[in-house]
Amino acid sequence: MGFPPPVDTARAQRSGPPLLAGALLTTSGLVDLLSSWANTTDDPFVVQTARGMYLVDITGWAWLHVAIGAAVTLAGLAAATGRRGTTAVALGCATVSAAVDLLLFPYAPVPALLVVGLDAAVLRLLLRHRRTGRVTDGLSGPRRPGPSSPDPPPWSPTRSD
């Protein structure tokens, strides 16, 4: 029984492109695209209530869903590159995709649950990526004296007196 090897903390904190988030977002967009493409036919859904049966045509919603699925797929591919600004676009697309899938849940529950789950995972991964990216990019600024960061002791070589 030995100790585990030391971890290079500087290397562990560096964040590369969010490949997993991009892959999950691309998968989510493709599931949306393919499942909603099947609903673009002119076949209406039949909804039975206590007052009778109604025909519900969701063709317009399905075409909107196809467009959102294509946009989410492209946002997932862009997010995997790690370029600046793609994380914000991917966050927006994942949020819109989850909201639209929740609206269409009564008509296609299995794909909606799958996509909402994938979008939730993508949102978590991208928000974590943004948080670690800000800290490790050196944007936190220099240390300032105050209650959260005290002055170094007088014998410290980092003191600038």
Side-chain angles (χ1 to χ4, degrees):
M1 287 185 121
F3 291 107
V7 177
D8 182 13
T9 57
R11 184 175 182 198
Q13 287 182 353
R14 280 186 230 132
S15 64
L19 295 177
L20 180 60
L24 290 177
L25 193 60
T26 302
T27 303
S28 168
L30 288 175
V31 168
D32 257 351
L33 187 70
L34 295 175
S35 67
S36 59
W37 182 264
N39 292 330
T40 57
T41 62
D42 290 330
D43 298 333
F45 283 89
V46 178
V47 178
Q48 184 177 357
T49 64
R51 294 186 174 183
M53 296 175 71
Y54 297 100
L55 296 176
V56 179
D57 188 15
I58 62 165
T59 305
W61 280 101
W63 280 111
L64 176 68
H65 212 84
V66 166
I68 290 172
V72 168
T73 302
L74 293 175
L77 292 173
T81 64
R83 300 246 174 162
R84 176 178 278 179
T86 58
T87 304
V89 171
L91 282 169
C93 284
T95 304
V96 168
S97 172
V100 170
D101 270 306
L102 288 175
L103 289 174
L104 289 177
F105 178 76
Y107 303 106
V110 174
L113 283 178
L114 179 68
V115 169
V116 169
L118 286 172
D119 287 340
V122 166
L123 288 171
R124 183 173 186 264
L125 286 169
L126 288 176
L127 288 173
R128 175 177 274 180
H129 175 73
R130 284 181 68 180
R131 184 179 67 215
T132 59
R134 283 191 187 137
V135 172
T136 59
D137 285 344
L139 300 177
S140 60
R143 282 181 25 152
R144 292 177 290 184
S148 63
S149 63
D151 287 333
W155 60 85
S156 173
T158 59
R159 190 167 178 101
S160 60
D161 283 340

